[in-house]
Amino acid sequence: MVVRPLREHLILLLSVASHVSKQTQEQRLAEQDLSVREQVALNAIAEGAPTQLTIAHKAGLDKSTLTPVLDQLERKKLIERQPDPGDRRARIVTMTDAGREALTRSSQTVTEVEDDLLTDLTPAERAQFRALLQRIVEGRMADLPVPGSCL
């Protein structure tokens, strides 16, 4: 029987890298009074996701996970929610000036954490790594249901 060394197990490697990077990002964002989910939601809104449903889809969060995140962002006065005039069941989410400032600061933090994580790779390797992960996630994994949230 041939047993591969653990350092060659893709799922283990991805899991460790994900855990360490998420933990680091959570700590750094907490210094700005934001969670990873809040930062991701703000980013989705900035990318043009106007309703709670589209934010959830873009951010990879289910609706029940997203609602408390939006509640918290609203309490922090980083977003506002209004009924959608075209659909009473939907809510339009907009970012406040404070929300845009928080997103700018937190985006810099996310970039710093990513740069630190990828410090051993050349710029070309970083781009290739990111492109390959995007291809995996946006390809065969795109239609897989994610229970709750991966964040």
Side-chain angles (χ1 to χ4, degrees), residues 13-53:
L13 293 170
L14 288 171
S15 185
V16 169
S18 174
H19 178 75
V20 170
S21 58
K22 183 178 180 222
Q23 211 170 32
T24 303
Q25 189 170 326
E26 283 175 344
Q27 291 168 352
R28 294 281 312 279
L29 289 173
E31 296 168 7
Q32 299 172 30
D33 192 32
L34 279 180
S35 70
V36 171
R37 287 179 178 171
E38 290 169 345
Q39 200 281 335
V40 167
L42 287 174
N43 210 103
I45 296 164
E47 286 184 26
T51 64
Q52 292 182 189
L53 187 60

Side-chain angles (χ1 to χ4, degrees), residues 66-86:
L66 178 66
T67 300
V69 171
L70 294 179
D71 290 345
Q72 186 65 19
L73 289 171
E74 196 167 39
R75 279 192 288 280
K76 293 178 182 181
K77 302 196 183 310
L78 300 180
I79 64 163
E80 295 175 341
R81 292 184 278 189
Q82 303 295 327
D84 182 344

Side-chain angles (χ1 to χ4, degrees), residues 2-136:
V2 177
V3 177
R4 288 185 305 155
L6 284 174
R7 65 183 291 255
E8 293 179 11
H9 287 228
L10 177 62
I11 302 307
L12 177 63
L13 293 170
L14 288 171
S15 185
V16 169
S18 174
H19 178 75
V20 170
S21 58
K22 183 178 180 222
Q23 211 170 32
T24 303
Q25 189 170 326
E26 283 175 344
Q27 291 168 352
R28 294 281 312 279
L29 289 173
E31 296 168 7
Q32 299 172 30
D33 192 32
L34 279 180
S35 70
V36 171
R37 287 179 178 171
E38 290 169 345
Q39 200 281 335
V40 167
L42 287 174
N43 210 103
I45 296 164
E47 286 184 26
T51 64
Q52 292 182 189
L53 187 60
T54 56
I55 294 166
H57 181 71
K58 185 174 274 294
L61 300 170
D62 67 27
K63 292 184 293 185
S64 64
T65 301
L66 178 66
T67 300
V69 171
L70 294 179
D71 290 345
Q72 186 65 19
L73 289 171
E74 196 167 39
R75 279 192 288 280
K76 293 178 182 181
K77 302 196 183 310
L78 300 180
I79 64 163
E80 295 175 341
R81 292 184 278 189
Q82 303 295 327
D84 182 344
D87 181 356
R88 324 182 291 181
R89 297 167 296 164
R91 310 265 294 167
I92 301 293
V93 182
T94 56
M95 212 175 324
T96 63
D97 288 341
R100 283 185 280 284
E101 290 171 16
L103 179 60
T104 299
R105 283 190 310 275
S106 64
S107 292
Q108 179 61 39
T109 298
V110 169
T111 298
E112 291 167 3
V113 170
E114 289 176 358
D115 287 347
D116 186 52
L117 174 70
L118 301 176
T119 196
D120 295 326
L121 303 180
T122 67
E125 289 171 330
R126 290 177 188 202
Q128 183 180 27
F129 180 69
R130 188 180 310 274
L132 292 170
L133 278 176
Q134 286 172 335
R135 208 162 94 201
I136 290 167

